[in-house]
Amino acid sequence: MRLLKVATCNLNQWAMDFDFNTNQIKDSISKAKQSGAIIRLGPELEITGYGCEDHFLELDTVNHAWECLKDILLGDWTDDIVCSIGMPIINGSERYNCQVLCLNRKIIMIRPKMWLANDGNYRELRWFTAWKKRDELVDFQLPHEISEALGQRSVPFGYGFVKFRDTAIAAEVCEELFTPSPPHSELALNGVEVFLNASGSHHQLRKLDLRLRAFIGATDTRGGVYMYSNHQGCDGGRLYYDGCASVVVNGDVVAQGSQFSLKDVEVVVAQIDLDVVASLRGSVSSFQEQASCKTKVPSVEVPYSLCQPFNLKTRLSIPLKIKYHSPEEEIAFGPGCWLWDYLRRSGASGFLLPLSGGADSSSVAAIVGCMCQLVVKEIANGDEQVKADAIRIGNYKDGQYPTDSKEFAKRIFYTVFMGSENSSDLTRSRAKVLADEIGSWHLDVSIDAVVSAFLSLFQTLTGKRPRYKVDGGSNAENLSLQNIQARIRMVLAFMLASLLPWVHSKPGFYLVLGSSNVDEGLRGYLTKYDCSSADINPIGSISKQDLRAFLRWAAIHLGYPSLADVEAAPPTAELEPIRSDYSQLDEVDMGMTYEELSVYGRLRKVFRCGPVSMFQNLCYRWSATLTPSQIAEKVKHFFKYYSINRHKMTVLTPSYHAESYSPEDNRFDLRQFLYNARWPYQFRKIDELVGELDVKEVVQEAGDHGAVAAASDVGGMGVAAAGSGNPNVGL
């Protein structure tokens, strides 16, 4: 037996905080060594943090990364343990995203990333160059100060692997695993048994299974040990990196870290027998044949042994049942952990949420409540960092700290119901009950006097006073009256967030939370600079349907039963007067259902459909219940209002990224914001297709009637004639 103990980790790094990140790396190495591991793998670009973005273009960033690596190597951190550490490196005039393999205070190899992530949220080609030389390792001259400190002038740089006396290991960096021809395929044929994947992978609802299947697929037929390390947390932007550090052996997951956690450092350890890898490979004839005629990959030889011999006291890691969270749990824990990171790193003292009693703001309130529960639970589990942060943020004195989530929420969470004459008693009551269940400091404010003051000012200026549509006003009047209410709430929210801590003799300021969902953003069903305009938004990339499912789940599992009533209520903005014969409803206002919006959103973004191809796709999906003309009108209606309102996405509050069809304009969904909303060419093509389909339908009906008549004339033979000889069947 060749026994090998390996350690991989989730690290909650913070972009550009070099001291913090370096200490986290050292802590993870210490934990790995304490466990007896001989290999430690960290996440991609862990020294700098993954989310530095254009800071990667600064020479300072690269220089500081070298200084931090030198600090690690000059200590005893890498003694008797192979460490893979991620950082940016400049070779010649090109900047590379690299994994630096270290052992015993020396660098043994630098592996630059060959295939860069450059879609969706990722822009690696903006900052890095992909390594192109697959057939050689070049000699890289270390920076002078590093060379002097380490007593090492140069190191092998490029694509290759490291051969130890008893095994071979190689890096495969994040995106490379998901390419059509991943490096691990040929590396396995070259004898590599342990693969080290350093990643910077963000959370997205229902995405984890795709990632784990890739690890499993990398080793189930060709054998091997696949180690995966990831960031975990908010490192300064919209993304939450969702950890799940794992070790997979021959297609079996034998170690899995948490997906969501408040821990800054989590080390996942596995004890494995490398002979099972050799045994599997030796039993697969096709593997043997391909290995015999493989393309040779460059390697670096290190005269050092990593494995231990057979030992009865050593317990091998066994296959585990993979842990998956439900989408409802993902919505609770992902944004909850993201909010905690943002809160503790921003210097704020808490959150303020305009709580309307509707589904969206209630979802945000429940997520904050979940965050408070996670904090108290982690403190009870002995996490001193979470405890210290909670004491500082909650302004605890005399050795006190949070032991109850409701008490903690009262210290850090304000909720405000900003009612008007258009608000119902039901929503006011729901907001109050939910606030009590969570424990927030709740306020009930009427904005009618402020609205009236604005209208009086307008009347003084123009001599006219706008009216609601139900009272005989025009569409322009009706819309402006709704927008006044919405924008007053935004201004009041920011004023309260900055002054309420002062009123209650608390230090600092509060962050204003937004609560618009992804479907409303896509359709533009929100007022520009209303309560959707906030500091951050934990649900801005989550669909209404997922939020409603979350509310049903949270009512039970988070202990907020009033959420069941919130979910059951029809969505309404409550910006127009309630009459006996009229009540404002979101889906009526939008002219489409939230379910339809989710379909439009996925077709537009995930399947890259324009108006014409969306119409064609929906004809297949909806033809059983809608005519082509009806489908065409729905598609036109969506694209009309999507394009009219696209400008609102340019000022969308920074939102937690959770959905594949997010319309977020900053980095994920890059499109113009001034459209010809009539879409003349595209809509004309749709009309032409509708006309063609209508003609075919008429001809088909005529053919069917003819077939029925023929059948009645010739008896049983008519059925066969209609099925095989009718010239209209193929139309």
Side-chain angles (χ1 to χ4, degrees):
M1 300 182 78
R2 290 177 295 145
L3 302 180
L4 181 70
K5 182 170 274 192
V6 298
T8 182
C9 56
N10 297 326
L11 293 187
N12 192 338
Q13 305 295 76
W14 192 1
M16 299 300 292
D17 191 336
F18 292 92
D19 284 338
F20 178 80
N21 295 345
T22 303
N23 288 334
Q24 300 260 90
I25 294 169
K26 290 177 178 178
D27 189 18
S28 69
I29 296 174
S30 293
K31 286 181 167 65
K33 294 175 76 170
Q34 289 166 12
S35 74
I38 197 69
I39 298 176
R40 175 268 180 196
L41 171 65
E44 185 177 12
L45 295 168
E46 59 184 314
I47 292 181
T48 58
Y50 184 84
C52 298
E53 299 187 324
D54 280 2
H55 285 297
F56 284 126
L57 303 179
E58 301 165 5
L59 289 177
D60 278 2
T61 304
V62 179
N63 291 337
H64 295 335
W66 275 116
E67 291 160 359
C68 293
L69 181 65
K70 180 181 74 171
D71 178 37
I72 293 170
L73 291 175
L74 288 180
D76 62 358
W77 310 101
T78 62
D79 289 357
D80 301 319
I81 186 170
V82 177
C83 292
S84 179
I85 299 173
M87 60 179 282
I89 291 177
I90 295 176
N91 186 350
S93 58
E94 301 92 41
R95 185 184 301 100
Y96 294 99
N97 175 349
C98 297
Q99 285 302 118
V100 182
L101 298 173
C102 309
L103 172 65
N104 291 331
R105 312 190 189 198
K106 301 292 184 182
I107 300 172
I108 57 178
M109 178 182 171
I110 297 175
R111 164 67 153 84
K113 192 172 181 179
M114 297 188 298
W115 307 112
L116 301 177
N118 208 58
D119 52 14
N121 285 295
Y122 298 103
R123 296 286 180 275
E124 289 185 11
L125 279 171
R126 180 181 175 97
W127 310 303
F128 301 109
T129 300
W131 181 255
K132 306 293 195 310
K133 300 176 182 178
R134 296 177 63 93
D135 57 351
E136 65 172 326
L137 289 168
V138 301
D139 198 41
F140 175 75
Q141 301 296 313
L142 292 172
H144 177 71
E145 289 187 6
I146 307 301
S147 175
E148 290 291 314
L150 302 183
Q152 184 178 9
R153 292 187 59 189
S154 64
V155 296
F157 186 104
Y159 170 57
F161 62 96
V162 181
K163 293 174 66 174
F164 292 92
R165 288 173 177 159
D166 44 10
T167 189
I169 70 172
E172 181 171 72
V173 189
C174 196
E175 177 73 9
E176 294 174 349
L177 168 64
F178 302 98
T179 58
S181 181
H184 67 254
S185 296
E186 65 175 354
L187 288 168
L189 296 176
N190 276 265
V192 173
E193 295 179 309
V194 183
F195 304 96
L196 286 64
N197 188 309
S199 184
S201 186
H202 69 277
H203 172 239
Q204 191 167 289
L205 289 174
R206 305 174 180 89
K207 175 187 172 185
L208 181 60
D209 181 56
L210 297 176
R211 194 187 305 161
L212 283 169
R213 274 191 281 150
F215 308 155
I216 292 168
T219 60
D220 62 346
T221 58
R222 60 181 65 87
V225 176
Y226 207 92
M227 298 172 60
Y228 172 79
S229 176
N230 194 15
H231 294 267
Q232 186 175 62
C234 166
D235 79 342
R238 293 164 172 80
L239 304 182
Y240 178 84
Y241 300 94
D242 61 338
C244 205
S246 305
V247 180
V248 179
V249 180
N250 289 357
D252 291 320
V253 177
V254 298
Q256 179 185 2
S258 64
Q259 187 177 11
F260 309 108
S261 174
L262 302 186
K263 293 185 177 72
D264 281 338
V265 177
E266 180 182 3
V267 175
V268 178
V269 179
Q271 178 75 66
I272 53 187
D273 173 17
L274 285 182
D275 280 354
V276 301
V277 176
S279 176
L280 175 61
R281 291 177 176 178
S283 68
V284 180
S285 176
S286 58
F287 183 92
Q288 297 287 302
E289 290 298 315
Q290 291 187 358
S292 69
C293 57
K294 61 183 176 291
T295 300
K296 189 174 181 181
V297 176
S299 63
V300 176
E301 292 195 13
V302 177
Y304 191 87
S305 297
L306 300 182
C307 300
Q308 298 295 321
F310 173 73
N311 185 341
L312 274 176
K313 294 182 180 180
T314 300
R315 299 186 63 181
L316 297 178
S317 300
I318 60 175
L320 305 174
K321 181 179 180 181
I322 300 173
K323 169 65 176 176
Y324 291 112
H325 288 286
S326 68
E328 293 79 16
E329 290 173 325
E330 291 184 79
I331 292 171
F333 302 142
C337 292
W338 182 76
L339 284 177
W340 177 246
D341 278 343
Y342 201 100
L343 177 61
R344 69 191 181 112
R345 290 173 172 172
S346 67
S349 301
F351 296 119
L352 182 139
L353 171 68
L355 181 59
S356 70
D360 295 334
S361 62
S362 296
S363 295
V364 174
I367 290 169
V368 176
C370 177
M371 181 202 78
C372 293
Q373 293 180 18
L374 291 173
V375 168
V376 170
K377 181 180 178 181
E378 203 59 44
I379 291 173
N381 290 336
D383 193 310
E384 292 298 322
Q385 184 59 57
V386 173
K387 182 178 178 180
D389 288 333
I391 289 172
R392 173 179 55 82
I393 294 167
N395 197 30
Y396 286 89
K397 305 292 184 182
D398 302 322
Q400 293 183 326
Y401 58 88
T403 57
D404 178 80
S405 63
K406 292 182 68 173
E407 187 275 334
F408 186 51
K410 181 73 73 175
R411 288 173 174 264
I412 69 158
F413 189 29
Y414 286 120
T415 51
V416 189
F417 180 84
M418 299 187 226
S420 73
E421 61 183 1
N422 302 320
S423 303
S424 68
D425 291 336
L426 282 174
T427 52
R428 176 179 278 105
S429 173
R430 290 189 198 111
K432 177 65 168 66
V433 172
L434 178 59
D436 289 342
E437 290 173 351
I438 293 170
S440 66
W441 190 292
H442 187 67
L443 299 173
D444 190 325
V445 181
S446 173
I447 63 170
D448 287 333
V450 186
V451 173
S452 179
F454 269 96
L455 294 178
S456 296
L457 175 62
F458 181 83
Q459 189 172 12
T460 301
L461 290 172
T462 65
K464 292 188 175 183
R465 193 177 185 92
R467 296 176 297 167
Y468 289 102
K469 193 172 183 179
V470 294
D471 296 326
S474 65
N475 285 331
E477 294 171 77
N478 194 62
L479 187 60
S480 67
L481 287 171
Q482 295 181 70
N483 288 344
I484 290 170
Q485 298 169 68
R487 288 176 175 139
I488 285 171
R489 286 172 174 144
M490 185 270 289
V491 174
L492 181 57
F494 276 98
M495 185 182 78
L496 292 172
S498 61
L499 290 178
L500 279 178
W502 167 71
V503 170
H504 292 142
S505 301
K506 295 181 179 180
F509 62 96
Y510 275 35
L511 295 165
V512 178
L513 296 179
S515 58
S516 59
N517 62 63
V518 70
D519 297 322
E520 291 169 348
L522 178 67
R523 164 62 171 75
Y525 186 64
L526 52 91
T527 300
K528 199 173 187 179
Y529 305 116
D530 68 349
C531 280
S532 65
S533 297
D535 289 309
I536 51 175
N537 180 358
I539 67 165
S541 184
I542 302 175
S543 73
K544 190 77 162 190
Q545 295 203 101
D546 281 338
L547 287 174
R548 296 188 71 168
F550 164 71
L551 289 172
R552 294 191 294 270
W553 176 89
I556 299 170
H557 295 89
L558 294 183
Y560 308 140
S562 67
L563 292 176
D565 294 330
V566 173
E567 190 278 329
T572 173
E574 290 194 337
L575 293 171
E576 296 182 65
I578 300 171
R579 298 285 188 264
S580 58
D581 59 345
Y582 177 75
S583 181
Q584 186 180 22
L585 297 173
D586 288 357
E587 293 183 333
V588 174
D589 276 0
M590 293 190 298
M592 60 192 74
T593 66
Y594 282 107
E595 184 178 0
E596 289 172 341
L597 263 173
S598 288
V599 174
Y600 299 147
R602 287 188 169 86
L603 286 174
R604 181 197 70 96
K605 177 65 177 177
V606 181
F607 295 96
R608 297 164 292 280
C609 288
V612 176
S613 53
M614 183 181 291
F615 165 74
Q616 292 171 322
N617 272 273
L618 291 177
C619 280
Y620 286 110
R621 294 188 184 206
W622 293 348
S623 60
T625 55
L626 297 173
T627 66
S629 296
Q630 292 171 322
I631 295 171
E633 288 308 309
K634 284 181 175 290
V635 171
K636 291 178 183 178
H637 186 72
F638 165 71
F639 272 99
K640 174 185 175 181
Y641 284 98
Y642 155 74
S643 54
I644 286 174
N645 291 303
R646 179 67 192 184
H647 65 95
K648 297 177 182 178
M649 296 303 95
T650 64
V651 295
L652 194 69
T653 295
S655 302
Y656 179 100
H657 178 87
E659 184 55 78
S660 59
Y661 68 92
S662 169
E664 184 262 305
D665 180 77
N666 177 267
R667 63 183 292 164
F668 184 70
D669 188 44
L670 307 181
R671 301 169 195 247
Q672 71 206 69
F673 54 87
L674 177 61
Y675 282 88
N676 183 344
R678 294 183 297 274
W679 298 81
Y681 185 89
Q682 294 91 330
F683 286 3
R684 188 168 67 250
K685 294 291 291 184
I686 290 176
D687 291 339
E688 292 171 2
L689 288 170
V690 170
E692 293 174 9
L693 291 170
D694 287 343
V695 170
K696 290 180 180 179
E697 186 175 349
V698 170
V699 174
Q700 181 69 55
E701 288 178 357
D704 291 343
H705 287 309
V708 171
S712 64
D713 289 340
V714 299
M717 293 179 61
V719 176
S724 59
N726 188 340
N728 295 320
V729 169
L731 294 178

